[in-house]
Amino acid sequence: MNLLNIKGIGKKKEEILNKMGIFSLLDLYKYLPKNYEDRSKKVDVINAVPEIKQYFELNIIEISKTYFYGKNKSVSRAKAKDETGVINLIWYNDRFTLRKIVVNKTYKFFGKYDQEKNALINPLVDDLNDDNIGSIVPIYKTIKGISNKELSKFKDNLFASDFNIEEYLDNDILSKYRIQEINIMYKNLHDPKDNLSLYDSIYSYYFRNILVEKLVSKMYRDELNKKSLSYKIYNVNKLKNYLDFDLTKSQEFAIKDIFDDMESKNRMNRLVIGDVGSGKTLVAIFAAYQAILNAYQVAFMAPTEILAQQHYDKHKDLFNKIGIKSAILTGSTSSKEKIIIYDKLINGEIDIIFGTHALYQDKIIYKNLGLVVVDEQQRFGVNQRKAIIDKGESPEILLLSATPIPRTLALALYDDLSLSYMDTMPSNRLEIKSAYMTIYQEKKFIDFAYKQILEGRQVYLVVSRVEDTDDLESVHLMKKKLDKYFNKKINIECLYGELDSEKKIDIQNRFANGKIDMLIATSIVEVGIDVPNANTMIIYNANQFGLSQLHQLRGRVGRSDIQSYCFFVSSEKIKIDEKLDFISKNNDGFKIANKDLEMRGRGDLYGKNQSGFIDLDNSFLYNEQLLSDVNKLINRDLKINSSLEKIINEELYKYKDIIMN
Ligand code: ADP
Ligand code: MG
C-alpha cells in the first residue's frame, strides 16, 4: 500500500504531499495537526462572550443584499435567532458565504462575537448535518495546493483502511501510566472525540516521545562513557583580550565547568542553560578555542542555515586574528566548495566548522573531532546528536539550550547531562521596555517604530497566521500595507521559511549590515538571530504564541547598550490575555518559564487561549508529572521487548534530516 491507494490522492496530490515530507502511509499517519480549534461547545445567543470564537445553531430570519464599496470591498449581512435571542451575521469582503444560506433554515455558525454590533464577524457556516462545526477541528500545517479539509479527508480515508502500527508497550503499562494504545492515540490526535480524550492523547504522545528519546540516549550514553579524550588546559587569555567587553560571572562559571570536564577522565556531556541573550554562544567559542589549542577539531552545529551562517560570520575575523581556520557547511554550500571542505576536514586543515545537519553527512570524515557543540539543542533529536558525535573517536559534547527552564525541571528532563546555569546578563544591557497593545492601536506603535528607524535603528515585525490566510500571505499583505503607509520611505523586506536559503541568508546579511530598516518575518526569527542594532520588536497576533516563544521573540532585541522596545499586539479589542499581560510586565526568562508551567499545569488547555487554539508544541516537555512518570517507568516497570528494541534501534540509526525553516 502506498499514498496512491488512498482515496482522493492522485499523482498531483502525491507530489504536494511529498513536498510536505509525506512519502508513505506511515508518514501521513504520523503527520499531526499543529493545533486544534475548539468548535465543540454550542453557545446560546444570550450567553455569547465578546471577542471569543464560539459555535451557535441559528435560524435565519433575514438576508440583506451585499453592499460593495472601495476596491474589492464588501459587507454582507444577515439576521438570525435561536430560542434565546436575535443576532446579526456580518461578513466583510466575503460575498460567497451568504449564498450558502436561506431564510427559515437552521445552520451551525462558528465565529467571533462583537458585542457592540451584536454580531458574529465573518463566521464559518456549516449545514446542520455536517460535522465540521460542532467538533474539535484539527489544523494542519499545509502548503499551497492542499487544504486543511483535503488533508483531513485523506486521513479519514487512511483510517478507514486497515493500516495500523505496532504497539510496543504492554497492556499493564498502558493502563498503569494512563497511556493510550498507539493506534487509538493517533486516531484521536487526528480526529479528536472530545477535549478530555484529546488531552489524554497529547499526553500519551509526549510520554511516548520522551520515553523513546530517553531510552535512546541511555543506550549510547554507556557506550560514550567508555572512552574519553585527554585534554590539557591551556590559558585562553589571547581570546579574552580580543573581546571588547568582560565576560559575565555566569560565562566565567560555565567556561570553568567546561574546562574541568575536559580535564577530567570522564567525557564531557554538558548542557548550558541560560536566558535569551545571556551570551551562551561565546561560552561555546571558549570551549572550541580550548579544544583547538589541544589540536582537536570542533563541529559547531545549529538548527538553521541562517543561524549557522550568523555564528560563522560573527566569529571568522576573531578566529583569523588568533590563527584559527574556520569554515561553514550547509545544505546550500555549492558542490564544488563542499569537496574542498571535505578534503580540508580530513586533512585537518579546518579547525572549526560551523553548519547545520550537513555536518554529519556520510561523506564527511573528520581528522580528529574533539568537541561537538550543538546550539539550540532541543531542536535536534537525540539521533541527530548521536550522528554528529559518532563522527569523532569520543568527542566532548557541549549542548546549548534553546529556552530557559527552571532547575528542578531541567534535572528531571536531562538526568543524563551535567548542567551549567547562566543567570546573569551582560552588564551593558538596558531592560527592554514592553507594552501590551491591541490591533486598534496600530498607528501608535507603527509610528513609534518609524521614529526609531529615523534614529538609525532597525525593527522586527513578526506576523503569524491570521484568519483565512496562511503565514506567507500575512507577511506579504503586511508588506504591501506598510509600503503604502510609509510611501516606500523605508526599506522593508520579508523573511519566511519558504524562501530558498540563498535568499534567506542574503536578507539576514543585509539586515545585519543595516541595509534593511524593517524585517517582516514569521516566527522564523525566533531562533537565535543576533542583530544588536535592531531595537524594536512588534509581534502581531501575539495571543497566538506561547509564553516562552514570545520571550524568545522579544529576545531578538535588547542585545546591546541601546534602549529596546517590544510590542505585544493582540488581535482582540480588549486586553484580556493573561499571558500577554504577564509577559509585558516581566523580563526574566526563568520567571516566565515558571509562569508558563503554572498556566499549562492548570490543565484547562482551552481556557487560557482566547483564540481557541491548543498547540501541539513542546509544552508537555515541561510537564513534571509526565517526566517523573517516564523516569519511574524506565527505572521500575519497563521490560524492553523486541518491538520496543526495534523502535529504539530505528531511532538510533535514523539520521533523518529534519528540514527546519
Ligand atoms: P544567547 O545566549 O541568546 O544565545 P548570544 O550568545 O547570541 O545569546 O549573545 C547575545 C549578544 O551578547 C551577542 O551579540 C554577543 O556578542 C553579546 N555578548 C556576549 N557576551 C557578552 C558580554 N559578556 N558582554 C557584552 N556582550 C556580550
Ligand atoms: Mg543562541
Side-chain angles (χ1 to χ4, degrees):
M1 285 262 286
N2 58 37
L3 288 175
L4 291 170
N5 293 108
I6 298 298
K7 213 174 121 200
I9 303 183
K11 272 263 172 268
K12 258 215 184 94
K13 294 290 169 192
E14 189 191 30
E15 226 168 79
I16 295 168
L17 289 171
N18 287 171
K19 271 196 204 145
M20 293 162 65
I22 301 171
F23 295 92
S24 64
L25 293 182
L26 186 65
D27 293 339
L28 182 63
Y29 197 85
K30 291 189 169 175
Y31 191 84
L32 293 177
K34 62 175 181 178
N35 49 36
Y36 300 86
E37 213 166 66
D38 186 0
R39 304 178 190 167
S40 65
K41 275 169 263 148
K42 195 182 116 186
V43 176
D44 292 332
V45 166
I46 198 170
N47 293 325
V49 185
E51 299 296 335
I52 293 182
K53 281 187 174 178
Q54 294 144 91
Y55 150 53
F56 302 82
E57 281 184 22
L58 303 170
N59 188 269
I60 307 295
I61 311 172
E62 182 188 309
I63 298 177
S64 318
K65 261 217 165 89
T66 297
Y67 169 69
F68 293 92
Y69 64 102
K71 200 175 152 203
N72 296 326
K73 292 198 166 158
S74 66
V75 192
S76 309
R77 292 170 192 276
K79 227 182 206 74
K81 63 166 198 263
D82 65 11
E83 292 89 63
T84 67
V86 174
I87 193 167
N88 297 303
L89 306 169
I90 305 178
W91 289 274
Y92 294 104
N93 307 326
D94 166 13
R95 58 208 163 90
F96 298 106
T97 306
L98 206 61
R99 298 183 192 167
K100 293 188 201 160
I101 57 176
V102 293
V103 173
N104 283 333
K105 268 194 79 173
T106 301
Y107 303 87
K108 299 180 191 176
F109 290 93
F110 181 73
K112 196 185 278 184
Y113 179 61
D114 182 319
Q115 193 166 27
E116 248 168 71
K117 301 191 171 83
N118 181 34
L120 297 181
I121 306 298
N122 284 43
L124 297 169
V125 187
D126 252 359
D127 222 277
L128 263 192
N129 45 27
D130 198 325
D131 62 359
N132 214 348
I133 298 178
S135 61
I136 299 168
V137 178
I139 312 285
Y140 295 95
K141 190 172 163 66
T142 53
I143 61 174
K144 218 178 156 156
I146 208 156
S147 69
N148 199 55
K149 239 187 175 142
E150 273 177 306
L151 204 53
S152 298
K153 263 267 143 42
F154 298 160
K155 305 268 179 184
D156 289 347
N157 295 340
L158 174 63
F159 288 129
S161 75
D162 53 7
F163 185 86
N164 264 319
I165 57 179
E166 197 180 349
E167 176 58 271
Y168 53 85
L169 291 174
D170 295 342
N171 274 333
D172 47 335
I173 287 183
L174 291 180
S175 62
K176 178 164 177 187
Y177 290 90
R178 283 165 291 111
I179 303 304
Q180 291 175 341
E181 193 274 332
I182 194 157
N183 290 292
I184 293 178
M185 175 189 89
Y186 271 110
K187 278 181 189 147
N188 200 50
L189 284 170
H190 286 299
D191 186 13
K193 242 186 14 230
D194 51 45
N195 282 339
L196 244 108
S197 73
L198 177 58
Y199 185 90
D200 288 344
S201 300
I202 297 177
Y203 185 91
S204 304
Y205 176 74
Y206 282 105
F207 190 99
R208 286 172 186 278
N209 280 3
I210 292 167
L211 174 67
V212 171
E213 169 116 3
K214 274 186 183 274
L215 289 174
V216 172
S217 81
K218 204 174 158 175
M219 193 102 153
Y220 79 85
R221 185 174 64 224
D222 306 336
E223 188 189 317
L224 283 182
N225 284 338
K226 280 188 208 136
K227 278 181 284 177
S228 171
L229 300 177
S230 57
Y231 270 77
K232 191 172 165 290
I233 297 306
Y234 293 94
N235 185 304
V236 290
N237 281 339
K238 195 168 165 189
L239 175 57
K240 248 186 216 170
N241 292 338
Y242 272 108
L243 302 178
D244 39 25
F245 46 71
D246 293 328
L247 293 176
T248 65
K249 274 270 156 316
S250 291
Q251 284 172 322
E252 297 273 11
F253 284 136
I255 292 168
K256 182 172 182 314
D257 287 344
I258 291 166
F259 288 0
D260 285 350
D261 285 349
M262 286 174 158
E263 203 175 15
S264 87
K265 286 207 176 53
N266 295 324
R267 151 130 59 168
M268 169 161 76
N269 198 10
R270 180 168 291 278
L271 172 65
V272 176
I273 296 183
D275 203 346
V276 183
S278 60
K280 295 180 288 281
T281 318
L282 195 59
V283 168
I285 295 294
F286 273 87
Y289 184 47
Q290 188 61 258
I292 294 164
L293 290 174
N294 277 271
Y296 292 118
Q297 285 174 312
V298 180
F300 197 123
M301 191 160 80
T304 64
E305 288 198 30
I306 294 190
L307 203 50
Q309 187 74 41
Q310 172 187 287
H311 286 329
Y312 172 70
D313 290 341
K314 184 148 184 157
H315 300 104
K316 70 178 174 220
D317 292 342
L318 181 64
F319 284 140
N320 262 337
K321 284 185 201 149
I322 54 178
I324 287 174
K325 287 161 280 175
S326 61
I328 177 161
L329 183 68
T330 67
S332 59
T333 308
S334 74
S335 26
K336 214 166 102 192
E337 209 163 321
K338 269 184 196 154
I339 294 171
I340 299 174
I341 289 176
Y342 297 161
D343 235 42
K344 286 187 171 172
L345 280 173
I346 204 171
N347 293 327
E349 288 166 49
I350 290 173
D351 299 315
I352 177 166
I353 183 136
F354 292 88
T356 53
H357 315 76
L359 294 182
Y360 57 73
Q361 290 169 81
D362 281 346
K363 282 176 224 148
I364 299 182
I365 301 168
Y366 294 84
K367 185 172 179 225
N368 57 351
L369 184 59
L371 172 68
V372 167
V373 178
V374 180
D375 192 16
E376 308 275 337
Q377 59 91 23
Q378 272 173 42
R379 311 251 321 210
F380 292 96
V382 66
N383 46 1
Q384 296 172 308
R385 300 205 295 261
K386 176 175 160 43
I388 180 72
I389 292 161
D390 281 351
K391 287 288 180 184
E393 210 23 57
S394 53
E396 312 273 309
I397 301 154
L398 181 63
L399 310 170
L400 308 181
S401 74
T403 36
I405 55 170
R407 195 183 286 268
T408 51
L409 185 64
L411 287 171
L413 191 55
Y414 306 116
D415 53 353
D416 54 340
L417 301 175
S418 327
L419 303 178
S420 294
Y421 258 77
M422 304 212 346
D423 43 20
T424 46
M425 295 294 248
S427 58
N428 62 348
R429 303 289 165 76
L430 300 170
E431 181 139 318
I432 302 170
K433 292 192 172 148
S434 304
Y436 179 178
M437 308 289 260
T438 78
I439 190 67
Y440 298 91
Q441 296 167 292
E442 193 171 27
K443 189 167 164 16
K444 222 166 156 179
F445 56 79
I446 290 291
D447 288 346
F448 182 91
Y450 183 56
K451 245 178 65 198
Q452 294 301 316
I453 290 171
L454 289 182
E455 284 173 24
R457 307 287 169 235
Q458 290 161 279
V459 175
Y460 292 102
L461 200 150
V462 174
V463 296
S464 73
R465 199 178 83 99
V466 286
E467 255 150 87
D468 301 327
T469 63
D470 55 22
D471 288 349
L472 212 62
E473 228 177 303
S474 335
V475 168
H476 289 303
L477 282 176
M478 184 61 78
K479 171 154 163 63
K480 223 164 136 186
K481 183 167 111 182
L482 291 181
D483 271 340
K484 198 168 152 205
Y485 184 72
F486 289 122
N487 209 353
K488 303 226 168 163
K489 276 186 299 216
I490 64 170
N491 191 5
I492 306 176
E493 296 260 8
C494 300
L495 183 66
Y496 45 90
E498 289 83 348
L499 280 175
D500 66 49
S501 23
E502 226 168 287
K503 188 89 198 164
K504 264 187 234 170
I505 285 165
D506 175 56
I507 290 174
Q508 161 70 14
N509 278 339
R510 284 190 292 128
F511 190 65
N513 296 331
K515 303 257 162 61
I516 296 172
D517 300 315
M518 181 185 275
L519 195 63
I520 302 181
T522 55
S523 56
I524 183 174
V525 295
E526 176 195 343
V527 183
I529 289 185
D530 183 43
V531 179
N533 188 52
N535 81 327
T536 304
M537 165 65 75
I538 300 171
I539 308 168
Y540 278 79
N541 290 309
N543 36 323
Q544 280 192 18
F545 294 99
L547 266 179
S548 301
Q549 213 181 354
L550 290 170
H551 183 59
Q552 274 284 332
L553 285 170
R554 174 171 58 188
R556 297 313 108 213
V557 298
R559 301 190 145 244
S560 69
D561 54 4
I562 309 168
Q563 178 62 54
S564 288
Y565 306 90
C566 181
F567 298 94
F568 299 100
V569 184
S570 83
S571 46
E572 325 288 341
K573 253 187 196 171
I574 36 179
K575 297 183 191 170
I576 44 172
D577 196 308
E578 179 182 353
K579 192 173 58 187
L580 296 187
D581 185 55
F582 184 85
I583 194 153
S584 61
K585 290 175 184 152
N586 287 279
N587 258 312
D588 177 340
F590 290 100
K591 219 164 140 187
I592 289 165
N594 267 323
K595 177 73 179 178
D596 205 7
L597 289 172
E598 182 201 309
M599 287 180 70
R600 292 176 192 285
R602 284 184 213 156
D604 59 342
L605 281 165
Y606 293 96
K608 70 180 161 73
N609 192 335
Q610 304 299 341
S611 56
F613 287 107
I614 351 174
D615 294 324
L616 207 53
D617 62 8
N618 285 332
S619 54
F620 276 82
L621 281 182
Y622 306 126
N623 186 313
E624 278 192 71
Q625 162 80 42
L626 185 151
L627 288 170
S628 79
D629 265 11
V630 171
N631 288 337
K632 203 162 94 192
L633 171 59
I634 293 177
N635 296 329
R636 283 196 213 155
D637 296 321
L638 192 68
K639 294 177 289 293
I640 298 195
N641 56 25
S642 61
S643 21
L644 184 51
E645 203 172 278
K646 208 173 99 195
I647 303 264
I648 294 171
N649 281 322
E650 267 169 25
E651 282 302 315
L652 207 49
Y653 296 104
K654 184 179 72 183
Y655 299 163
K656 190 170 153 195
D657 286 16
I658 299 177
I659 301 150
M660 289 185 234
N661 300 315

